[in-house]
Amino acid sequence: MAGVGLRAVARRWLLCGSHGGQRAASSSPSCPGCGPPGPGPHCPGAPRSASSPAPAGGTELSEHLWARYQDMRRLVHDLLPPEVCSLLNPAAIYANNEISLCDVEVYGFDYDYTLAQYADALHPEIFNAARDILIEHYKSLLMKIDAFHYVQLGTAYRGLKPVPDEEVIDLYGGTQHIPLYQMSGFYGKGPSIKQFMDIFSLPEMALLSCVVDHFLAHGLEFDQTHLYKDVTDAIRDVHVKGLMYQWIEQDMEKYILRGDETFAVLSRLVAHGKQLFLITNSPFSFVDKGMRHMVGPDWRQLFDVVIVQADKPSFFTDRRKPFRKLDETGSLHWDRITRLEKGKIYRQGNLFDFLRLTEWRGPRVLYFGDHLYSDLADLMLRHGWRTGAIIPELEREIRIINTEQYMHSLTWQQALTGLLERMQTYQDAESRQVLAAWMKERQELRCITKALFNAQFGSIFRTFHNPTYFSRRLVRFSDLYMASLSCLLNYRVDFTFYPRRTPLQHEAPLWMDQLCTGCMKTPFLGDMAHIR
């Protein structure tokens, strides 16, 4: 079993004197990082004795390094039996902060990609419509652009942002390098840049890359800011003109996913006495048809407050926009809103009036959305609500993480990194050749692991050993995150979520690079005296 393997490695790690003491007796099992028991080479960070000289160097030392390499390969293989894969549940909820659902009395929801999950088939439709708008407006420059077709770049670039002059975003895996510049609408001082943070950014990025490639391929000059604005306006027109709404309304079975699970989540919360509200930027007619499809004609009875065309994120910051009541036909009423009634529909408004009229404040409110800025940032940072992020890509990423190929590739990469770190003290010519070979293999492993998620961008959560910009924002702006709202069905309504303790670099976890080399990461002080 996996647990037995881990305990065995930990035992080896302890026996090889990794806490600063001498090695265990010669009867202790061998450790790939510290050599065989008894006389022989020690780990480079461990103290040596006269009875255990280092290899003489040259060929002997090279063979010694490769012997440790092979021993570690066997150890990693033994450490990961088949049962260790598929440990993560794609339907689980993951916590950035401790949160007890028994303290949550009010649940709030966005609509698009939160209550309503959309199929990937929607992306080519948005791309094609925006492409046609560009062709209509710029026929002279884009005569051949109608040959463009939607390229599935994958969702792994969500969270990318345009970069400084000396950097680029490579959308084609090496074909074209495309620098992007644009001011962002997100609040903040100093130079700001566009954040591609939601699922709707997928067709926008694909179209932008195609248009830039068209100009470069035909030797046409273009202003990057103007080009980006034109593409963004075309994507915006798809939404403003209601084209996306029409496609979804015409074939809800094709485009809307997990509707029955959404109904189950809402019904369960109401049955346990929770209050629900909906705040969305979508128009009422579109939301009404979608909710009727997923929940039924009486869907409004589940919600205490329903707000449409809210104009988030300014809904959270602009006090000037009042609430307006809508009737069944979508017509606006002129009467002043003094309370928000159950079963009624309200348009626009602002969060400050919402808080005053409902008195739903602080950590007893949990709001779910898919956009870290438009949905979650202000609510957490300024108003103290608890927040839940819906990240559809999470399900696919976890399934990749659960594969045997990923587990073995990542574990061996970590082990090889630890071996490189420990063995770099050997600097003779042949040892340097061995270390160079290991470095090359490590780089290949990093690229292979990255490509498992997306050949161009890798994972949306991690770039090699660092978290991505999107991942850092996710941790900052959400208490919980999950692949879909239906994940709530796997937990009791009084469940408490606890975040995992993530070790810092100066802390001492049992990482693979330490376990497999049999040594602590930091060399002994005695061997570091020359640094002073």
Side-chain angles (χ1 to χ4, degrees):
M1 296 297 291
V4 175
L6 287 170
R7 286 194 296 271
V9 173
R11 181 171 178 269
R12 293 187 185 186
W13 177 75
L14 293 170
L15 287 173
C16 71
S18 56
H19 290 286
Q22 299 292 332
R23 287 177 55 89
S26 60
S27 59
S28 64
S30 64
C31 174
C34 294
H42 284 274
C43 175
R48 301 183 184 279
S49 64
S51 62
S52 55
T59 303
E60 181 181 352
L61 184 53
S62 174
E63 292 176 353
H64 168 71
L65 293 177
W66 281 115
R68 290 194 179 183
Y69 173 95
Q70 293 298 336
D71 286 343
M72 190 184 299
R73 287 299 298 256
R74 287 190 291 270
L75 177 60
V76 169
H77 181 271
D78 294 341
L79 182 67
L80 292 174
E83 308 92 88
V84 80
C85 299
S86 301
L87 291 180
L88 296 177
N89 182 2
I93 295 176
Y94 299 92
N96 294 319
N97 300 304
E98 184 174 330
I99 175 173
S100 177
L101 295 185
C102 65
D103 296 330
V104 177
E105 302 172 8
V106 184
Y107 285 77
F109 306 92
D110 181 31
Y111 179 73
D112 297 302
Y113 282 106
T114 301
L115 288 177
Q117 290 277 315
Y118 298 131
D120 290 343
L122 184 62
H123 302 154
E125 298 284 0
I126 297 174
F127 175 93
N128 293 334
R131 177 201 61 196
D132 294 343
I133 292 173
L134 279 178
I135 294 172
E136 181 65 26
H137 289 177
Y138 307 101
K139 288 181 179 178
S140 60
L141 289 177
L142 303 175
M143 293 177 62
K144 297 181 180 180
I145 199 174
D146 58 340
F148 290 177
H149 61 280
Y150 182 71
V151 179
Q152 180 61 45
L153 297 176
T155 60
Y157 67 78
R158 183 141 77 111
L160 280 182
K161 56 180 182 175
V163 289
D165 294 2
E166 67 274 11
E167 300 180 36
V168 295
I169 295 175
D170 185 356
L171 292 173
Y172 284 94
T175 302
Q176 297 288 354
H177 292 284
I178 306 169
L180 308 171
Y181 311 86
Q182 176 64 24
M183 297 303 290
S184 170
F186 187 61
Y187 59 84
K189 296 182 179 180
S192 54
I193 46 186
K194 170 69 178 179
Q195 312 289 338
F196 293 102
M197 280 291 183
D198 63 1
I199 299 294
F200 289 128
S201 296
L202 289 166
E204 180 179 359
M205 287 286 283
L207 182 59
L208 181 62
S209 65
C210 286
V211 174
V212 172
D213 187 61
H214 171 82
F215 276 88
L216 295 177
H218 292 81
L220 301 173
E221 295 184 1
F222 61 95
D223 182 276
Q224 296 167 350
T225 302
H226 293 165
L227 185 147
Y228 174 77
K229 183 179 184 303
D230 293 337
V231 171
T232 300
D233 288 347
I235 293 288
R236 183 201 61 198
D237 286 349
V238 173
H239 298 277
V240 171
K241 294 179 179 179
L243 299 178
M244 187 192 77
Y245 303 139
Q246 294 174 18
W247 304 326
I248 296 175
E249 290 173 1
Q250 290 170 2
D251 196 347
M252 292 188 180
E253 290 292 341
K254 175 182 178 181
Y255 292 113
I256 296 183
L257 308 175
R258 296 176 169 173
D260 54 339
E261 296 176 2
T262 297
F263 176 52
V265 170
L266 300 177
S267 301
R268 185 167 178 251
L269 293 175
V270 171
H272 284 83
K274 307 299 182 180
Q275 294 177 288
L276 310 184
F277 66 91
L278 170 64
I279 302 178
T280 176
N281 287 347
S282 295
F284 171 67
S285 60
F286 174 68
V287 174
D288 183 54
K289 292 176 182 177
M291 291 300 292
R292 286 175 179 269
H293 171 76
M294 294 186 291
V295 177
D298 298 327
W299 68 270
R300 281 186 285 171
Q301 297 306 313
L302 295 174
F303 292 89
D304 293 86
V305 178
V306 176
I307 301 169
V308 298
Q309 293 177 279
D311 194 25
K312 296 179 291 183
S314 64
F315 177 88
F316 302 124
T317 57
D318 190 347
R319 298 172 179 263
R320 296 171 296 177
K321 296 179 180 179
F323 283 111
R324 302 287 299 276
K325 186 183 294 184
L326 291 175
D327 61 21
E328 295 291 338
T329 64
S331 299
L332 288 171
H333 289 202
W334 290 94
D335 50 321
R336 182 180 180 183
I337 304 300
T338 58
R339 61 194 181 102
L340 300 176
E341 303 176 66
K342 185 173 184 176
K344 303 297 183 182
I345 305 298
Y346 300 91
R347 176 182 169 182
Q348 285 193 340
N350 62 83
L351 184 65
F352 303 94
D353 286 341
F354 180 87
L355 297 175
R356 177 177 56 83
L357 295 173
T358 63
E359 298 184 351
W360 292 340
R361 301 176 184 274
R364 69 191 187 102
V365 183
L366 173 57
Y367 185 80
F368 293 92
D370 70 295
H371 197 295
L372 299 182
Y373 290 139
S374 295
D375 290 323
L376 307 181
D378 287 296
L379 295 177
M380 168 171 276
L381 299 180
R382 298 184 176 185
H383 301 285
W385 285 9
R386 310 310 294 265
T387 56
I390 305 300
I391 313 295
E393 303 98 324
L394 181 63
E395 182 174 359
R396 176 179 176 273
E397 293 233 353
I398 290 178
R399 295 192 187 282
I400 293 172
I401 291 172
N402 280 338
T403 62
E404 185 174 351
Q405 180 182 7
Y406 176 85
M407 294 290 291
H408 279 277
S409 177
L410 180 64
T411 306
W412 172 235
Q413 176 187 317
Q414 289 291 93
L416 186 58
T417 300
L419 189 60
L420 273 165
E421 186 175 43
R422 303 305 305 174
M423 299 299 124
Q424 63 182 309
T425 54
Y426 299 120
Q427 287 297 311
D428 60 280
E430 293 198 21
S431 294
R432 285 200 299 269
Q433 290 182 1
V434 174
L435 296 175
W438 292 356
M439 285 288 292
K440 180 180 179 181
E441 180 181 358
R442 176 177 178 267
Q443 184 59 35
E444 291 173 351
L445 284 169
R446 297 178 83 187
C447 293
I448 290 172
T449 306
K450 171 184 174 181
L452 290 175
F453 297 96
N454 181 278
Q456 284 75 36
F457 304 104
S459 167
I460 71 168
F461 299 101
R462 184 179 293 279
T463 171
F464 297 130
H465 60 280
N466 289 319
T468 59
Y469 180 83
F470 175 80
S471 184
R472 294 197 301 271
R473 297 299 88 189
L474 178 66
V475 172
R476 182 71 180 92
F477 298 145
S478 67
D479 294 294
L480 305 173
Y481 64 98
M482 63 209 75
S484 71
L485 203 62
S486 61
C487 296
L488 285 170
L489 297 174
N490 299 320
Y491 300 86
R492 302 190 313 271
V493 293
D494 60 350
F495 190 86
T496 298
F497 294 94
Y498 297 96
R500 297 173 182 170
R501 179 183 175 89
T502 304
L504 302 175
Q505 290 296 316
H506 66 274
E507 295 178 327
L510 297 181
W511 285 127
M512 280 306 306
D513 58 354
Q514 297 172 23
L515 286 174
C516 292
T517 57
C519 303
M520 291 296 288
K521 194 170 185 178
T522 305
F524 287 94
L525 294 179
D527 296 312
M528 298 176 66
H530 67 280
I531 296 177
R532 303 192 188 96

